[in-house]
Amino acid sequence: MFEPTMIIAGASLVGLTIVASVLLRAWQGWLALKRQELERHYAPDDEKAGSSLGAARIEISDLKERIKKLEAIASGVDL
C-alpha cells in the first residue's frame, strides 16, 4: 500500500514545511526587533531631538566647508 519511498518523501515534505515555517517566524521576529530598535533610536524626545538636530546641522556645515577647501585646493587657489 505505502512504499517506503512515499513515506520518506511525505515525511521530508512535512519536515521541510515545519522548518520553513519556523524560519519564517524567526525572520518576522527579527524584523520586528529591528523595527523596535529603529523606533527607539529615532524616537523624538524633547531634549534629544533638538540636540541631535543641531549636531547634524553642524556636521553638515563642516562637511560643506571641507568640500569648499578641497575644491579650492583642486583648482589651485590658495585660501
Side-chain angles (χ1 to χ4, degrees), residues 3 7 9-10 13 29 38 40-41 52-55 57 66 70 78:
E3 294 182 29
I7 294 172
L13 185 61
L38 286 173
R40 195 175 327 127
H41 181 67
S52 64
L53 183 61
R57 287 182 181 168
R66 288 182 189 175
L70 289 173
D78 288 331

Side-chain angles (χ1 to χ4, degrees), residues 65-79:
E65 185 178 331
R66 288 182 189 175
I67 289 171
K68 287 180 184 178
K69 287 181 181 179
L70 289 173
E71 288 174 345
I73 291 171
S75 65
V77 176
D78 288 331
L79 293 177

Side-chain angles (χ1 to χ4, degrees), residues 5 11 18 22 25 33 36 46 48 55 59 61 73 76:
T5 307
I18 291 170
V22 167
R25 180 114 175 156
L33 175 68
Q36 287 177 354
D46 292 338
K48 189 177 177 184
E59 188 165 345
S61 66
I73 291 171

Side-chain angles (χ1 to χ4, degrees), residues 14-32:
V14 169
L16 182 63
T17 304
I18 291 170
V19 168
S21 64
V22 167
L23 288 175
L24 180 62
R25 180 114 175 156
W27 175 252
Q28 289 173 345
W30 185 80
L31 287 177

